[in-house]
Amino acid sequence: MNHLIDINAQADTHYVFLFTDIEGSTQRWVRYPAAMGAAMARHDKLLREGVAASGGAVFKTTGDGGCAVFARIEAALTAASWLQTRFGEEDFAAVGGLKCRIGVHCGPAEFRDDDYFGLTLGRTARIMAAGHGGQILVSAAVAGVAVAGAGGVPEPYALQSLGMHRLKDLGQAEEIFQLTGPGLAAEFPPLRTLNARPHNLPEQTSTLIGREGALADLRGLLARHRLVTVLGPGGIGKTRLALQSAAEALENYADGVWLVELAGVSQGEQVAASAAAALNIALSGGGNAAEQFASALRGASMLIILDNCEHLIEAAAALADAVLRRNPGVTILATSRSPLGLPGEQSFALSTLAVPAPDAIAGMTVADAASYAGIELFVARASLVQQGFALAADNAADIAAICQRLDGIALAIELAAARIRMMRPKDLLTRLNDRFRLLTGGARTHLPRQQTLRALIDWSFALLSEQERVAFRRLGVFAGSFDLSAAEAVLAGEGIEAVEVLDLVASLLDKSLVTRLPVAGAAVRYRLLDSTRAYALDALA
């Protein structure tokens, strides 16, 4: 495969990427199952012809599109215009007509295992997804280089500014351009960006890492259920995932997507008022506030995110129930450490980021380490505090061990990565036995409970009943996993009856302090995450 640039370079190399897909392909596969295969084969053939003619290389096809890489911007834009023109000349009447959309972006990427990785590729996909069939969208980075003269726009084409847009990766707004010229349509509907629908989604200063599969799963659940609750222990990334999935679903809701932040709300009676404030709805002083809020949404088509519900679970459930009963066009996405407990609620248990198994760490190579999302997050955050920090042969195993001992919990990994300013990964690893003193200093904008690892678990522990606290402390004695019979042997006695153990373990499981192991076909076993177990042992002592 001709990859145009020295793919064996140690540092990230800058590339130009072209992504394409078919608008409305899912529906067409359902409607024309036989003909779509032939249509997509024709698309793939045209893609390869156009890319190769411009000196590029197709490195991936996706079922309804493809990804290509180029060394020069002019070559990518030439391929894009050729492909869009030829695609418009094809007869796709057998599948009701097909239109492809194309995005072009440039930036650094890493090549390994016959594929490219990095934030540039995700940005290219976002730019493409903002467009419509027949449209070629170009990033500000591409336009800037073209204007600077380092490989320009091919004659007789031009770049037309479409204004500032926030893409669905929740980053800051940037200017998006459209390639115009002979054979290309000029008029399209507004871009599918965050500008297109009302919302109050916050900008994010960091990129979501390692959640591609979870995003796809959550999008599917939101399309089929009106109440979805993202569950998981503190610091795992529930809020960030919910925000990203909401951004990607924005075009499905005519009245927008609205975030109701409950983390700073302390009283249940304030929940409905907080929701009303987020949506600019005025409530009268009397009556049931949740019912008033629900009535104000009559006829709306929107997605409401109830974020951080665990400490106000009854009030959050009451609000969700009132809204869903009165408003068939409203969907609710909740994040919590325990379910709301409403009929029809679809739970989505968010797993920790992928980290290597303990027996896979010794002798780990850079290529092996780079495939784990937890390690990718560590390196990305460490590079922010220590310029030039990178995954290398002399630190890959240490970083892998750090992420494994932190169980892939995103916040814990970020707190650990922040310490790279002071010490090497090897030194950080040796200090993890005192993790609650080591892992402090979260972002000043975070709530106090998100600024240290101990405060994160303190928050969950404080929400337990006294009997649940006793059970939780005692479960800390299990160095590995345990089954119910082992839990009964350890928990029963001194205030806990044997018959109560099942409900106590179930309650701790619901509150994301106990994890069920995904072992198919075997007896069900449970465990405490390493940091949670260390906290339980401290509390027990």
Side-chain angles (χ1 to χ4, degrees):
M1 186 183 298
N2 175 23
H3 287 287
L4 313 172
I5 299 174
D6 181 10
I7 60 176
N8 296 312
Q10 293 298 310
D12 283 349
T13 306
H14 279 69
Y15 301 86
V16 185
F17 291 100
L18 181 155
F19 282 14
T20 177
D21 77 353
I22 301 300
E23 188 174 39
S25 63
T26 302
Q27 295 84 353
R28 297 181 189 279
W29 277 106
V30 173
R31 189 173 180 185
Y32 311 101
M36 272 297 287
M40 287 311 306
R42 183 60 183 155
H43 165 276
D44 292 351
K45 185 174 185 297
L46 288 174
L47 177 64
R48 294 185 186 281
E49 287 179 2
V51 169
S54 295
V58 175
F59 62 90
K60 184 187 297 181
T61 55
T62 60
D64 64 349
C67 309
V69 61
F70 299 82
R72 297 180 299 110
I73 285 174
E74 185 175 5
L77 296 180
T78 298
S81 59
W82 182 92
L83 178 63
Q84 202 65 276
T85 302
R86 287 288 292 114
F87 208 73
E89 295 170 351
E90 290 289 314
D91 181 8
F92 289 112
V95 291
L98 287 184
K99 291 184 177 181
C100 75
R101 52 187 180 176
I102 297 174
V104 181
H105 181 44
C106 62
E110 178 189 354
F111 181 81
R112 65 173 187 272
D113 299 329
D114 291 327
D115 202 353
Y116 292 86
F117 299 87
L119 303 181
T120 301
L121 281 83
R123 196 67 170 172
T124 310
R126 299 290 183 204
I127 291 167
M128 177 198 69
H132 300 272
Q135 193 169 27
I136 301 172
L137 296 183
V138 176
S139 70
V142 168
V145 173
V147 168
V153 181
E155 293 287 350
Y157 295 93
L159 292 179
Q160 174 188 349
S161 175
L162 300 181
M164 301 296 290
H165 290 268
R166 280 185 65 199
L167 299 176
K168 293 176 183 177
D169 53 12
L170 297 179
Q172 294 182 351
E174 72 167 74
E175 194 170 9
I176 301 296
F177 296 81
Q178 177 180 310
L179 188 67
T180 62
L184 301 179
E187 301 296 327
F188 295 94
L191 296 184
R192 296 183 173 104
T193 61
L194 296 186
N195 306 51
R197 289 280 193 270
H199 68 89
N200 67 342
L201 298 175
E203 290 186 359
Q204 299 294 315
T205 57
S206 60
T207 304
L208 183 65
I209 291 176
R211 292 301 191 189
E212 294 81 4
L215 272 173
D217 293 341
L218 188 52
R219 285 199 305 267
L221 292 178
L222 286 172
R224 299 191 301 272
H225 303 275
R226 294 183 56 220
L227 173 59
V228 179
T229 303
V230 181
L231 301 172
I236 199 174
K238 301 183 292 297
T239 296
R240 187 66 177 84
L241 179 71
L243 292 175
Q244 188 60 55
S245 62
E248 297 188 1
L250 186 58
E251 65 190 57
N252 300 329
Y253 302 96
D255 297 304
V257 170
W258 302 96
L259 170 65
V260 179
E261 297 180 286
L262 299 178
V265 178
S266 59
Q267 302 296 326
E269 55 266 24
Q270 298 171 333
V271 168
S274 298
L279 276 72
N280 297 311
I281 293 173
L283 302 179
S284 66
N288 186 306
E291 295 292 343
Q292 286 184 48
F293 175 77
S295 296
L297 301 180
R298 184 160 294 145
S301 168
M302 66 172 58
L303 173 65
I304 297 175
I305 307 167
L306 296 179
D307 187 38
N308 285 295
C309 297
E310 59 269 359
H311 61 303
L312 302 163
I313 201 74
E314 293 183 1
L319 180 68
D321 181 57
V323 169
L324 296 173
R325 279 190 288 103
R326 290 174 174 264
N327 303 282
V330 176
T331 298
I332 291 181
L333 173 60
T335 72
S336 179
R337 302 188 192 188
S338 57
L340 299 188
L342 292 178
E345 178 182 18
Q346 174 62 57
S347 295
F348 178 74
L350 181 61
S351 61
T352 55
L353 292 171
V355 295
D359 58 3
I361 292 174
M364 176 163 285
T365 65
V366 171
D368 289 338
S371 66
Y372 293 96
I375 295 176
E376 182 184 0
L377 177 65
F378 183 97
V379 173
R381 299 300 184 258
S383 65
L384 296 177
V385 301
Q386 183 64 42
Q387 187 175 1
F389 182 85
L391 189 65
D394 62 350
N395 65 21
D398 293 325
I399 295 173
I402 291 168
C403 295
Q404 187 276 324
R405 289 190 58 187
L406 296 176
D407 289 301
I409 298 175
L411 181 60
I413 290 174
E414 291 183 335
L415 292 173
R419 291 298 189 185
I420 291 300
R421 181 189 289 113
M422 302 176 61
M423 62 187 78
R424 300 173 302 170
K426 183 184 297 294
D427 302 323
L428 179 61
L429 178 61
T430 62
R431 292 173 178 266
L432 274 188
N433 287 335
D434 196 13
R435 66 184 69 194
F436 293 119
R437 289 182 181 272
L438 178 69
L439 303 184
T440 61
R444 290 187 177 92
T445 54
H446 288 172
L447 291 169
R449 67 173 180 264
Q450 295 172 327
Q451 293 186 1
T452 73
L453 184 61
R454 179 176 291 281
L456 188 71
I457 307 176
D458 276 342
W459 173 254
S460 293
F461 187 71
L463 297 176
L464 300 179
S465 68
E466 182 54 39
Q467 196 173 45
E468 288 170 338
R469 293 180 187 182
V470 172
F472 172 66
R473 289 193 293 261
R474 293 178 184 177
L475 287 177
V477 303
F478 287 106
S481 65
F482 57 90
D483 59 17
L484 280 176
S485 61
E488 287 170 343
V490 167
L491 299 189
E494 296 188 26
I496 296 179
E497 299 293 333
V499 295
E500 296 175 311
V501 171
L502 175 62
D503 288 338
L504 286 170
V505 172
S507 181
L508 294 174
L509 183 66
D510 279 345
K511 292 177 171 62
S512 302
L513 286 169
V514 169
T515 301
R516 174 175 170 168
L517 295 182
V519 182
V524 177
R525 298 186 68 82
Y526 309 89
R527 68 179 286 250
L528 274 64
L529 298 180
D530 261 15
S531 297
T532 307
R533 176 175 176 264
Y535 183 99
L537 282 175
D538 279 357
L540 183 65

